[in-house]
Amino acid sequence: MVFQYNMHSSRPIKPGSKWKWVLLFVGFPLLELWLILKLGAVMGWGATLWLILMTGVIGGTLAHRQGFATIQKIQMDMGQGRMPAGALLDGLLILVAGLVLITPGMITDMIGFCLLIPSLRRLLTHRATKWLSLRFKMPQPTARPQTELNDDDVIDV
């Protein structure tokens, strides 16, 4: 997709999806930096750096443990012939939690630690499942009657 910009256009700029990305990738890090600078002024720089490092280490460790538990649940579900949809969404949220926890910042750390709370993850997984099922309508499987096999239907190789 090619974006064109005309400086002489009199059309007003409408807020759209690209402004959301600008806010996410420019505004959010600036907010995080401002918060770290304020925290450093209040707590001192040594304590602020220690807090940032420790939240990353503790959060990474928690995400690692919960991730392995989720992988084991996925393997158990698949071994029993069940589709591990809930566990896969759970694993995705744990991955996101780990990523935002290793990112320096107080807001991202709060988001990451919240995503590591199992009851909150279940709520988010439930809402995401409902949203996905409404967004992508899947046809319901029709039940086929079981037919009896006779010896003419079986081919031995």
Side-chain angles (χ1 to χ4, degrees), residues 67-129:
F68 271 116
T70 303
I71 288 173
Q72 289 175 345
K73 178 160 179 20
I74 290 169
Q75 289 174 343
M76 186 178 67
D77 285 349
M78 290 181 73
Q80 294 175 352
R82 292 187 306 230
M83 180 64 181
L88 287 172
L89 280 173
D90 209 32
L92 178 66
L93 290 174
I94 292 170
L95 176 66
V96 169
L99 290 174
V100 297
L101 280 166
I102 62 172
T103 304
M106 296 298 121
I107 300 170
T108 54
D109 287 345
M110 292 301 292
I111 292 169
F113 281 121
C114 285
L115 288 175
L116 290 178
I117 299 171
S119 58
L120 183 61
R121 253 196 340 264
R122 276 192 297 276
L123 175 70
L124 290 173
T125 301
H126 178 68
R127 287 191 178 186
T129 304

